[in-house]
Amino acid sequence: MSEYNNIVIIGASHAGQGLANYLSPELPTTHRIILIDALDYAFWPIAALRAAVVPGWEKKITAPLSQETVFPSGSIHRVVAPNKVLDLKANSVVLENPFEGSNEVPFFKCILATGAQQPSPMRPAVDSSRKEYEEALIKTQGEIKNASKIVVVGGGAVGLEIAGEIRSAHPDKAITVVHSSSHVLNPTANAPDPNGKAHSYSSPPTAPKLSVTLEKVLKEMQIDVILSDKVQIPASQSSPEDWSGSFGAQDGVKEIKLESGKSLEADYVFVSVGNKPNVSLVEKVDQGAVVSGLVNVDDYLRVRSDTPNSILTQNYYAIGDCCSTPGWKTAMGADQDAKGCSIIIANEAKGKANKKYVRPALAAMMIPLGPARGAGTLTFPLVGTWQTPQAMVKAAKGANLLLDQLFYPRFKGQTKVTGGM
């Protein structure tokens, strides 16, 4: 039995590791953080698209996830990685491999920061090592370099950013983005939940003027954009010339058919159809705690459920991409959740009363199209949303994709993390 009250954080994501950093100096010495992750390395998804195109960047976006890199020397807090959480219990989590002599870790509070799933190269494949992820990025770099006609399925942030990265690195390639909406990104609000379930989540709409600006920049970069149309994904290949539905490099130039009847040629197909929140642990225990595909949380970031007497509603919390906090699922939003949750958990540990968490109104949507181009907006309380100059997007995000500002500095250990470590 541990001498400490454990605060378990599942997921060393931007939200999870950020929470550990905010919370650790605020806890009484009777409480310690147990940061658990299935991988033994951290990665920076914001820069993954450039790493999939530009050689050398694959070394910049990962870092060792260990006691020595995460926490200062002599810290009572612990990193448990690589290790998987297999099950959630009322006051403990079950691990795949033992920690301190047991596969079951008791806790005072447990915070889910499991993030979202995306296919490689945006995020590593499940169970891939750091070397394997870097090798996958290098493979993608080579495939894109050898391609001549590239089709990007989806004109959201990921689709636009990969198109911009490819154009910046390879001026000679034909690039076409196909997007189902009338403008790129998501300038119109999603339809309400047909079941009318309370506290459901939908992504906020992006500013229409941002979509228009990006479409103008994409045209200047000679990236073709097809709007209000969809790629037909076949179940099988009907002829050698037709596309089989596979993503990535093709064995020759294939014909891709659209719902409008148009067709495109491509020897590389990149799919970007959004994140899938990683909520499988919660679904396994209690389907009633999932709403709109996200872990349902209350005004104190505590998990709530439609299931009577759910084991998750007392001491479980959720933050970041996996939970139903309002606003965009971005690094800024994850950081805001982490900061708010740190205050709540510290107060719980000290026996103090808590205030409701309200995510700050300040929000940013920056879309770099390579290191030098792009567009973005900033949303301020009371003032509203303002479009940012292209130079600001380059300075704030495009040049190094926040590696030096947000990724490397989050490692507080005695072993310093830098690019190419």
Side-chain angles (χ1 to χ4, degrees), residues 90-103:
N91 296 293
S92 64
V93 297
V94 180
L95 301 180
E96 182 176 50
N97 301 307
F99 168 68
E100 295 185 336
S102 175
N103 288 74

Side-chain angles (χ1 to χ4, degrees), residues 338-355:
K339 190 175 295 184
C341 191
S342 71
I343 296 170
I344 291 169
I345 299 300
N347 284 339
E348 292 281 1
K350 297 171 183 176
K352 294 183 177 181
N354 263 312
K355 294 182 179 179

Side-chain angles (χ1 to χ4, degrees), residues 143-153 159 162-178 218 221-226 248 253-254 256 263-270:
E143 290 173 344
I144 289 174
K145 180 180 179 180
N146 293 330
S148 59
K149 298 181 178 181
I150 296 169
V151 168
V152 178
V153 182
I162 191 67
E165 293 292 347
I166 294 172
R167 169 59 73 236
S168 298
H170 304 290
D172 58 332
K173 299 186 186 303
I175 305 170
T176 303
V177 177
V178 182
L218 289 164
M221 297 177 73
Q222 296 184 316
I223 296 172
D224 294 329
V225 179
I226 296 176
V253 175
K254 304 298 180 183
I256 296 179
S263 63
L264 302 170
E265 289 187 335
D267 53 5
Y268 191 93
V269 181
F270 187 96

Side-chain angles (χ1 to χ4, degrees), residues 3-86:
E3 62 181 297
Y4 301 105
N5 292 308
N6 293 326
I7 296 171
V8 169
I9 302 173
I10 303 176
S13 58
H14 187 59
Q17 194 174 348
L19 172 59
N21 289 336
Y22 289 128
L23 183 58
S24 56
E26 302 302 325
L27 288 174
T29 56
T30 51
H31 293 66
R32 69 169 177 174
I33 294 166
I34 307 294
L35 181 63
I36 305 171
D37 200 274
L39 302 175
D40 65 354
Y41 63 98
F43 60 94
W44 190 234
I46 288 175
L49 297 173
R50 186 165 299 169
V53 177
V54 182
W57 271 77
E58 73 281 353
K59 294 289 186 183
K60 298 182 179 183
I61 69 166
T62 64
L65 190 66
S66 67
Q67 189 72 28
E68 292 72 29
T69 59
V70 174
F71 293 119
S73 178
S75 173
I76 65 171
H77 309 299
R78 290 290 175 264
V79 173
V80 182
N83 209 332
K84 291 181 181 178
V85 175
L86 302 180

Side-chain angles (χ1 to χ4, degrees), residues 190-270:
N190 293 343
D193 185 342
N195 299 317
K197 191 168 183 179
H199 307 291
S200 61
Y201 171 88
S202 63
S203 181
T206 49
K209 57 187 176 184
L210 176 59
S211 297
V212 172
T213 299
L214 284 167
E215 288 165 11
K216 179 181 178 181
V217 177
L218 289 164
K219 185 176 181 180
E220 292 170 355
M221 297 177 73
Q222 296 184 316
I223 296 172
D224 294 329
V225 179
I226 296 176
L227 299 170
S228 302
D229 209 343
K230 291 184 179 180
V231 169
Q232 291 184 331
I233 302 178
S236 60
Q237 190 173 25
S238 56
S239 70
E241 295 77 23
D242 289 333
W243 180 47
S244 67
S246 66
F247 299 115
Q250 308 295 310
D251 59 347
V253 175
K254 304 298 180 183
E255 183 182 17
I256 296 179
K257 297 176 181 178
L258 307 184
E259 287 188 353
S260 63
K262 297 177 182 178
S263 63
L264 302 170
E265 289 187 335
D267 53 5
Y268 191 93
V269 181
F270 187 96

